Amino acid sequence: MEILIVGLSHKTAPLDIRETVSFSERNMEEGVRSLVACPSVAEGLIVSTCNRVEIYTATSKKKVEEAKSEIIGFLADFHDVPREKLDPHIYTMSGEECVGHIFRVASSLDSMVVGEPQILGQVKEAFGCAASAHATGNILNRLLHKAFSVAKRVRSETRIATSAVSISFAAVELAKKIFGELTGKTVMLIGAGEMAELAARHLLSNGVEHIIVANRTYENAVKLAEEFKGSAIPFNELAQQMELADIVISSTGAPTTIIDKKMVKDVIKRRRNKPMFFIDIAVPRDIDSAVNEVENVYAYDIDDLEGVVETNIKTRSKEAAKAEEIVVGEVGQFLDWMRSRESFPTIVALREWAEEVRRTELAKTMKRMEGLSEVDAKRVEAMTESILNKILHRPISRMKKAAHKGDEGEVVGMVREIFEIED
């Protein structure tokens, strides 16, 4: 059997093409069932995310080319897209390259943001859907479970996912460094920028207890506060209410700063010098850089956060090299298992034939030795088993060694010919 991938991703296809062939939760199972209905596809599953649509299959080694054509045809027909529109963006892989790719995808080494955590869950969901549709078998079951264990190794043995690589996550990371635990902290959100909202959501998921929203349009503040189950305040009460906040995220469209050193100095005094963390995601900036001069105040603007992100991306790149070493080693182990499967039926057939010969000849001999005691009869039988095992040891070992080297085909063929083992 051969493992085959047909797919397209953010590296080969623009978003408008990826959208046309994506699978939703609603039509995924139908897609998987249609996929394995292709004559040359023995097993199959579909991974569909915003960045990739990849089809993993197992097929006969003799039918790889037919399978490629059938899978591309399935993709085009299922989504009613002209095949010629997909062809320039499609890639295919098989064998060792294919196994390594699946391990890298599950480990997020092939993701747009290396180390992002979502892809492993998406691959697991794809496998779960295919398995429940009975579209996977020995090959893909083993391959995907191996991919999950490789991803686990990569995450536990490298630091590929430990540092933030988005502005919003970087803000959370910095907040944790300042406060240690975020449990029970209060965030004030000023304005309604997308990144500020995202940062607020991440802070909430990391233990922040309450969100206060201030917006020049009070109705918008109320609406946003309802989303966070927080509270809204009029914009002109900003300075008075700020003392309640441990973290302030500002993202307005104001042409000049709206928070200055004097305002923050007064606030920190009312807070009795309890630390405050300011995140300014606005351009132009909402917060005067001089607020950093106030004791126990930590203010970061968009450039500071991007600097943190850039440093973390470099760290992840270094860790990705370590992760690649893990992937290469695991690919070798999986290929050994695949190759051993090629020689396994021959080994079984050879043993069955030899055992039949042994039993037949032993029965003939025993008929001529009727006076033999039970103990001696067992000794004779043990001797025939020992002879059989020693004779078979060399051809079986030779087949296993050939499988390990990847050239088992010739050796297995020779053994089958010598012992007249039929396919």
Side-chain angles (χ1 to χ4, degrees):
M1 295 293 283
E2 188 70 279
I3 299 168
L4 173 66
I5 292 178
V6 175
L8 46 80
S9 74
H10 60 96
K11 295 179 180 177
T12 64
L15 180 59
D16 61 327
I17 294 294
R18 302 201 303 273
E19 285 173 340
T20 59
V21 293
S22 68
F23 292 82
S24 66
E25 189 177 344
R26 182 178 52 79
N27 66 4
M28 177 63 86
E29 187 168 328
E30 180 190 355
V32 169
R33 292 186 190 282
S34 300
L35 170 65
V36 293
C38 295
S40 301
V41 175
E43 301 177 35
L45 70 87
I46 301 168
V47 174
S48 181
T49 72
C50 57
N51 286 327
R52 72 184 67 243
V53 175
E54 289 184 339
I55 296 173
Y56 304 162
T57 61
T59 183
S60 164
K61 282 190 174 182
K62 297 175 182 175
K63 295 182 177 179
V64 170
E65 292 306 316
E66 292 100 310
K68 285 180 187 175
S69 180
E70 288 170 11
I71 294 167
I72 297 171
F74 148 75
L75 204 54
D77 293 344
F78 190 86
H79 294 286
D80 196 20
V81 180
R83 183 168 174 153
E84 56 271 21
K85 191 175 176 181
L86 300 180
D87 282 337
H89 308 287
I90 293 282
Y91 50 79
T92 63
M93 301 177 204
S94 59
E96 183 173 350
E97 183 186 19
C98 187
V99 174
H101 179 77
I102 293 171
F103 288 178
R104 288 185 184 90
V105 168
S107 304
S108 82
L109 295 173
D110 196 62
S111 296
M112 188 177 285
V113 179
V114 171
E116 55 91 4
Q118 289 85 8
I119 186 64
L120 179 58
Q122 290 165 330
V123 175
K124 285 183 175 179
E125 284 178 13
F127 174 65
C129 178
S132 67
H134 306 291
T136 60
N138 286 342
I139 302 292
L140 290 188
N141 287 344
R142 178 102 176 194
L143 176 63
L144 269 295
H145 282 296
K146 188 68 174 174
F148 301 150
S149 73
V150 172
K152 187 176 179 182
R153 275 197 66 195
V154 166
R155 287 195 172 271
S156 62
E157 295 179 25
T158 74
R159 296 174 59 244
I160 199 164
T162 57
S163 48
V165 291
S166 71
I167 294 294
S168 51
F169 268 118
V172 175
E173 194 174 81
L174 285 171
K176 282 182 175 176
K177 285 182 180 176
I178 292 167
F179 295 108
E181 287 293 324
L182 298 181
T183 305
K185 301 298 180 193
T186 295
V187 171
M188 174 176 278
L189 191 59
I190 306 171
E194 188 179 342
M195 273 196 292
E197 278 190 48
L198 195 55
R201 290 185 197 283
H202 290 324
L203 287 165
L204 275 174
S205 65
N206 278 273
V208 161
E209 187 173 283
H210 185 59
I211 298 263
I212 301 169
V213 181
N215 196 290
R216 288 189 190 279
T217 305
Y218 183 68
E219 291 74 18
N220 290 344
V222 171
K223 190 176 174 183
L224 192 56
E226 286 175 352
E227 282 187 35
F228 291 128
K229 297 180 180 174
S231 55
I233 61 168
F235 197 78
N236 58 11
E237 293 183 13
L238 193 65
Q240 295 95 310
Q241 300 283 347
M242 196 177 288
E243 68 177 270
L244 302 173
D246 303 290
I247 300 165
V248 176
I249 305 173
S250 192
S251 177
T252 74
T256 58
T257 57
I258 60 171
I259 299 172
D260 60 22
K261 182 179 176 181
K262 182 179 180 307
M263 182 193 295
V264 172
K265 201 171 178 179
D266 290 343
V267 169
I268 207 79
K269 188 176 179 181
R270 296 200 301 274
R271 283 174 58 85
R272 298 182 178 178
N273 285 317
K274 283 171 63 182
M276 290 187 76
F277 177 36
F278 287 82
I279 307 167
D280 186 354
I281 305 179
V283 179
R285 285 178 290 182
D286 285 339
I287 302 171
D288 188 337
S289 58
V291 302
N292 253 326
E293 297 169 10
V294 180
E295 194 171 354
N296 289 325
V297 168
Y298 307 88
Y300 288 81
D301 62 24
I302 192 81
D303 280 357
D304 296 327
L305 294 173
E306 285 180 349
V308 172
V309 168
E310 192 176 335
T311 301
N312 289 345
I313 287 174
K314 288 178 182 173
T315 301
R316 284 198 179 193
S317 297
K318 289 179 184 174
E319 295 301 308
K322 296 178 187 173
E324 282 292 340
E325 292 177 11
I326 294 173
V327 167
V328 169
E330 295 284 358
V331 167
Q333 289 182 23
F334 185 80
L335 291 177
D336 281 349
W337 175 78
M338 282 286 289
R339 288 164 185 150
S340 70
R341 289 186 80 259
E342 301 294 327
S343 57
F344 183 71
T346 301
I347 292 172
V348 171
L350 179 61
R351 276 204 163 276
E352 287 176 347
W353 168 80
E355 180 65 17
E356 185 180 344
V357 171
R358 184 190 72 83
R359 287 184 178 279
T360 302
E361 295 304 314
L362 181 64
K364 289 178 184 174
T365 302
M366 288 302 183
K367 276 186 180 178
R368 294 195 293 268
M369 302 174 70
E370 291 182 349
L372 208 62
S373 69
E374 186 177 343
V375 172
D376 287 338
K378 286 184 178 177
R379 284 176 179 159
V380 171
E381 180 164 11
M383 179 187 68
T384 62
E385 288 174 346
S386 177
I387 292 172
L388 180 143
N389 287 333
K390 287 184 177 176
I391 290 174
L392 291 182
H393 176 72
R394 287 187 178 180
I396 289 174
S397 295
R398 183 70 183 86
M399 281 190 282
K400 287 182 176 178
K401 285 179 183 175
H404 184 71
K405 293 177 182 175
D407 59 358
E408 72 282 3
E410 184 180 350
V411 177
V412 169
M414 191 183 302
V415 170
R416 297 185 81 90
E417 186 175 344
I418 290 171
F419 293 96
E420 297 182 348
I421 298 171
E422 297 179 354
D423 290 335

